[in-house]
Amino acid sequence: MDTKSGARGLDEDAYAVLRDRLAAQAAELAARAEALNAARTGEFGTGELELTGTGQARTGDPCVLTDVAAVGGRLLFGRTRPAAQDTEPRVADVLALYDRDLVPLPEDAVPGLLDDPAFVREFTALHRYFRGARLIALRRTEARLLAVFRTGESADDVRVLRWATGPSGTYRFLDALGEGDLVTPPGQDVDWVPAGRDDHVPGRHPHLSLGGRLYVSTLGGTLTVKTVNDTETAEGVYAEPVDEPLQSLADAEVAHAAVGPLVLVRVLPYREETVRHLVFSTLTGTVVRLDGLGQACLRLPDDRGVVFPGGYCLADGTVRTFGTDTAGLAHDGRVTSPHGEDVLFTFRSPGAPDGGRSLILPYNRVREEIARPVTGRAHTLLDDGTLVVLRGSGTEAGRVHPVQFWRTPFAADTHQEPAGTGPLARIGNADLVRGVSDCLAIARQGTETTPTGEVYEALIAACDRAADTHHWLGDPGTGDLAAPLAAVRTTAERVLTEFETVAALRSRAADALAEAGRRLTRLTRQVRGESPATAEEWISRLTGLRRAQGHLLAVKELRYADTAAVDALARRAEEDITAAAQRAVAFLGREDSLDTHRAEAERLAADAAAAPTVAATRDLADRLDAHALGLRT
């Protein structure tokens, strides 16, 4: 048996065995975590959104419902009147109360809200002095209810009426000076670090260093992303064209941010208007363009990724986008379920020409996914977690307005059901959610990601964090997740060691192949670019090509060599040798082409006759072998 082939087989088999073992242990960890999660949801309930019903809010006259807010267990709808009505509006023309069954209620159904004389005076004065005023939004803060009216053409031309909210669902009108309470949540939940002059890396192909983690260039008509600080080559792991090929490093506006293992890149090339957003995963080494991050970029819990209008990107590089219209949407807020399992990300475009739109993305930490987005004109949450979504689009007024009701886990603390007394109740739903989420993430990382050294290092670190954070993982009442977690960590450490060995051998084989290719290219260019004047020169060129071809056989025997690439290079060498040989034959057809060889043969004969001893002929023998080799070539 060939020794090299046997060693290579042992290495490959050992690595494959460890990988299979890691996958089996990760599957066991996932199975136990899923079983624990099923028991948890059986005791505490599931966090999935479920459509429980659809109703219709009816109005006495045609109008467009623009927004909805939960007030004391009731629903407050905002309305717009048809443009043809020139009379001064009443409160009922703009704001209307309904119960949960969408039955209209009188204005005094919620005391202190619409029936407050001070509110009626401010409402009347607002529409008297600003005849084009229209309601564009209803907003809830921790202690305020806000009614936002647009009073002019500019987005800043607003007047905000506000109420104070009490702990028992009571309301008290304050004034029309609520602009300070109208705080828009930040759309960028990351710290963008702009690239400056100090980040310029000069060279043949200069680029910008983004914290030493990525390298970006917009030169030569291409936006290029590199993972290695190599200015000798223009190639990288990602490239796309830019509009202006003639620009310097300083012309483009570049910034980056880090979210866990993700590196976000923001680029505005020279003389372009669209800001490009790229996401690089250090675990997989892949880059994806997600311009939606410009509208909003929000961190997922535990830095497991980012979410943006219309999609999300996980820490392992998984990207999912939804086919929803996100134009004009901005971050509106987020709500976390009481036990932390679910997070509701909301986006709105209030006051838009179509009356406003709403996008709701419910993220589940255990499954690490947003199952489906919920869209509508507006939405609100009742205290028991019921999500009310005002459907419809466009500005056409009507008397019937569709409304959806969704069951969600986003209930207020006062509506949480008491837990039981079993082992899961003693741990608590919040801790169970985090533990199950961490274990499932580890299991996915052990089986689904592209094998790299960074992946295995991150996997080992995640196992250590989970074991240190969740002390209850080894409890029999939870299915003993500690055992498969420890097994995954041990095997991942061994896989990392074997992977590093294999990676080093692959790198060595790749370097040898590259050097062989450069050597062959150099010899080929020499043969093609020159016309040797003697047979010796032709023989020297052909001998060099033959030796380069023979060296490829040695490269092919290296462990983890790319045999297909070696074979392709060998075929190229054979073609180059054939072409050079044809030219050599044409030269050797001349009568004087072998004169130098005849002269060398005569010198060898004369030197042999003059040799005084056998020892003196050793150098002569070497000369004779070299001469014979040249003739055979």
Side-chain angles (χ1 to χ4, degrees):
M1 177 180 177
D2 181 71
T3 304
K4 290 185 177 180
S5 300
R8 177 164 52 193
L10 287 175
D11 286 338
E12 292 175 345
D13 290 345
Y15 180 64
V17 167
L18 289 173
R19 280 282 300 165
D20 292 343
R21 183 183 303 168
L22 179 63
Q25 292 165 344
E28 175 63 21
L29 177 62
R32 296 193 188 190
E34 292 285 5
L36 176 58
N37 191 51
R40 181 192 66 82
T41 57
E43 181 157 345
F44 296 101
T46 178
E48 294 182 3
L49 269 66
E50 179 183 354
L51 181 63
T52 59
T54 301
Q56 295 176 337
R58 297 180 178 273
T59 55
D61 55 348
C63 67
V64 176
L65 297 186
T66 57
D67 210 344
V68 59
V71 290
R74 279 73 180 271
L75 298 174
L76 175 65
F77 285 100
R79 316 175 14 163
T80 61
R81 297 191 307 157
Q85 295 187 14
D86 295 328
T87 59
E88 190 172 290
R90 302 167 300 148
V91 171
D93 294 329
V94 179
L95 295 166
L97 284 167
Y98 288 74
D99 65 13
R100 295 173 60 118
D101 296 323
L102 301 180
V103 176
L105 299 174
E107 293 180 359
D108 59 357
V110 179
L113 187 63
L114 303 183
D115 60 345
D116 190 307
F119 160 69
V120 176
R121 286 195 299 271
E122 287 289 353
F123 178 88
T124 302
L126 171 66
H127 288 85
R128 184 168 297 165
Y129 291 109
F130 301 98
R131 300 192 62 84
R134 59 188 179 92
L135 179 74
I136 60 171
L138 295 170
R139 290 289 180 269
R140 292 291 304 269
T141 67
E142 186 174 350
R144 297 284 188 271
L145 171 66
L146 309 176
V148 185
F149 290 84
R150 174 73 61 83
T151 59
E153 295 297 328
S154 172
D156 296 329
D157 296 333
V158 295
R159 183 66 62 88
V160 181
L161 278 60
R162 60 178 178 172
W163 292 261
T165 60
S168 57
T170 59
Y171 291 84
R172 179 173 58 87
F173 181 73
L174 297 177
D175 50 43
L177 305 174
E179 288 83 356
D181 295 319
L182 190 63
V183 178
T184 302
Q188 296 294 319
D189 195 20
V190 298
D191 297 324
W192 291 100
V193 180
R197 291 285 183 179
D198 294 341
D199 301 307
H200 289 206
V201 181
R204 183 180 178 186
H205 298 281
H207 51 226
L208 294 168
S209 173
L210 304 185
R213 304 182 70 179
L214 278 184
Y215 305 90
V216 173
S217 167
T218 55
L219 306 182
T222 304
L223 167 59
T224 305
V225 178
K226 301 179 183 178
T227 58
V228 180
N229 189 14
D230 179 12
T231 58
E232 292 302 312
T233 178
E235 286 75 24
V237 296
Y238 180 85
E240 64 179 44
V242 297
D243 294 345
E244 177 57 63
L246 301 177
Q247 56 182 290
S248 67
L249 287 179
D251 290 332
E253 298 178 18
V254 182
H256 79 283
V259 178
L262 299 179
V263 180
L264 317 181
V265 183
R266 185 178 66 194
V267 182
L268 178 60
Y270 182 55
R271 289 185 176 178
E272 293 189 22
E273 297 181 357
T274 301
V275 180
R276 311 184 190 195
H277 288 80
L278 308 174
V279 180
F280 170 72
S281 171
T282 58
L283 297 181
T284 62
T286 57
V287 178
V288 62
R289 181 170 172 176
L290 298 172
D291 287 348
L293 295 173
Q295 291 178 257
C297 178
L298 311 172
R299 295 174 182 262
L300 292 174
D302 303 321
D303 281 351
R304 294 280 176 85
V306 292
V307 63
F308 53 92
Y312 59 96
C313 177
L314 298 181
D316 62 3
T318 300
V319 176
R320 185 179 180 189
T321 58
F322 306 103
T324 56
D325 180 13
T326 62
L329 292 178
H331 179 217
D332 181 63
R334 76 178 73 189
V335 181
T336 302
S337 62
H339 298 296
E341 178 182 356
D342 300 271
V343 182
L344 200 67
F345 296 94
T346 60
F347 306 89
R348 294 197 193 214
S349 62
D354 61 355
R357 288 180 297 116
S358 174
L359 173 64
I360 304 165
L361 300 181
Y363 173 77
N364 183 269
R365 292 180 63 177
V366 174
R367 298 188 302 272
E368 288 196 355
E369 68 172 0
I370 296 173
R372 55 181 173 180
V374 179
T375 61
R377 186 189 294 277
H379 69 272
T380 190
L381 274 171
L382 295 170
D383 286 346
D384 64 352
T386 298
L387 175 66
V388 181
V389 180
L390 178 60
R391 300 288 294 172
S393 61
T395 58
E396 185 176 351
R399 289 187 172 87
V400 178
H401 312 274
V403 179
Q404 288 182 341
F405 295 89
W406 295 77
R407 180 182 60 80
T408 80
F410 302 100
D413 293 340
T414 55
H415 283 75
Q416 294 307 300
E417 298 181 359
T421 58
L424 301 187
R426 288 193 295 271
I427 297 171
N429 194 21
D431 285 342
L432 288 170
V433 166
R434 286 189 288 270
V436 170
S437 175
D438 288 345
C439 289
L440 288 177
I442 289 170
R444 285 190 289 267
Q445 194 171 343
T447 57
E448 297 179 2
T449 52
T450 302
T452 65
E454 291 79 4
V455 165
Y456 296 126
E457 290 173 356
L459 180 59
I460 294 170
C463 291
D464 290 339
R465 283 195 304 270
D468 294 340
T469 304
H470 311 296
H471 59 85
W472 48 266
L473 289 177
D475 292 354
T478 63
D480 186 16
L481 276 69
L485 179 66
V488 167
R489 192 214 180 280
T490 300
T491 304
E493 201 166 40
R494 295 183 61 188
V495 172
L496 177 60
T497 301
E498 189 67 25
F499 179 84
E500 290 173 343
T501 301
V502 171
L505 292 173
R506 285 176 175 166
S507 176
R508 192 178 307 162
D511 291 343
L513 177 60
E515 177 58 31
R518 287 191 293 269
R519 179 182 178 185
L520 178 62
T521 300
R522 184 171 60 252
L523 291 171
T524 301
R525 287 176 178 172
Q526 189 177 23
V527 172
R528 292 176 178 176
E530 300 176 0
S531 295
T534 64
E536 288 85 351
E537 292 179 359
W538 273 110
I539 291 170
S540 176
R541 302 290 189 272
L542 290 172
T543 302
L545 287 172
R546 284 293 184 192
R547 286 174 177 169
Q549 186 184 38
H551 180 64
L552 289 175
L553 297 178
V555 173
K556 189 173 183 179
E557 289 300 314
L558 290 176
R559 293 151 71 180
Y560 302 107
D562 187 346
T563 55
V566 173
D567 291 340
L569 201 59
R571 288 192 296 270
R572 174 185 147 194
E574 186 63 36
E575 293 172 357
D576 292 337
I577 291 172
T578 301
Q582 290 173 349
R583 293 176 59 197
V585 167
F587 175 84
L588 294 174
R590 294 161 44 182
E591 293 183 359
D592 60 345
S593 62
L594 295 178
D595 288 350
T596 55
H597 279 274
R598 295 189 185 95
E600 177 64 16
E602 291 173 356
R603 282 194 296 272
L604 286 171
D607 291 343
T613 63
V614 174
T617 63
R618 291 176 182 172
D619 179 65
L620 186 63
D622 293 339
R623 289 171 56 195
L624 185 60
D625 289 342
H627 189 66
L629 176 62
L631 290 175
R632 283 197 297 272
T633 300

